């Protein structure tokens, strides 16, 4: 059974930085791809970054490209990170990590951060950016 646990959220002023972490257990890194999602109050969940480590491919939503970096570390445990710089008030949301079973690269590239493609989710960590 896949278990995901996020950490690293907090409150920062605009222009600040945060590093989110997601610890994954019950999976092997070669069998999955992973993404970070966020959901603000009253808004739909959106995918902000995804990584398919087996192909060394990444995806970023236009709103975060250049400011967010997704990293996967494969060791005794699989760890995912979302490094966020130059944060904006509109980045305020609950952030979730999620994994999906490995697919072909072309299929992944068609829908890298579609929530319905992901079947395991963490509980979330809150990010608040003040203006």
């Amino acid at each position: 059974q896949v278990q995901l646990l996020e950490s690293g959220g907090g409150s920062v002023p605009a222009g600040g930085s945060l590093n989110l972490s997601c610890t994954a257990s019950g999976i092997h890194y070669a069998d999955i791809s992973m993404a970070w999602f966020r959901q603000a109050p009253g808004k739909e969940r959106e995918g902000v970054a995804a990584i398919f480590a087996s192909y060394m491919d990444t995806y970023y939503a236009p709103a975060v490209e250049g400011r967010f970096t997704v990293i996967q570390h494969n060791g005794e445990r699989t760890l995912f990170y979302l490094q966020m710089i130059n944060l904006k008030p509109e980045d305020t949301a609950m952030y979730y990590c999620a994994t999906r079973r490995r697919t072909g690269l072309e299929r992944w590239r068609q829908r890298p951060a579609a929530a319905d493609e992901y079947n395991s989710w963490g509980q979330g960590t809150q990010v608040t950016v003040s203006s």
Side-chain angles (χ1 to χ4, degrees), residues 12-127:
V12 296
S17 302
L18 282 172
N19 294 320
L20 306 184
S21 300
C22 175
T23 302
S25 59
I27 57 173
H28 188 275
Y29 76 91
D31 296 330
I32 54 96
S33 58
M34 175 272 176
W36 285 94
F37 293 81
R38 67 185 181 187
Q39 187 167 20
K43 294 188 177 181
E44 291 189 0
R45 188 170 296 190
E46 64 169 335
V48 296
I51 184 166
F52 199 162
S54 295
Y55 292 101
M56 299 180 66
D57 206 352
T58 55
Y59 161 84
Y60 296 96
V64 307
E65 190 156 19
R67 300 188 298 120
F68 289 13
T69 303
V70 60
I71 298 170
Q72 180 171 333
H73 173 73
N74 303 316
E76 189 170 319
R77 294 179 300 174
T78 300
L79 301 171
F80 304 103
Y81 303 98
L82 186 66
Q83 299 177 338
M84 306 184 293
I85 65 171
N86 192 21
L87 284 162
K88 305 175 181 180
E90 51 263 44
D91 294 319
T92 295
M94 185 72 79
Y95 283 71
Y96 301 87
C97 64
T99 61
R100 62 192 272 187
R101 293 186 182 88
R102 178 178 176 149
T103 64
L105 179 59
E106 288 308 309
R107 172 168 178 175
W108 182 85
R109 284 178 171 171
Q110 290 172 0
R111 307 186 78 221
D116 60 358
E117 292 277 1
Y118 288 78
N119 43 41
S120 295
W121 295 81
Q123 294 299 307
T125 185
Q126 178 68 38
V127 171

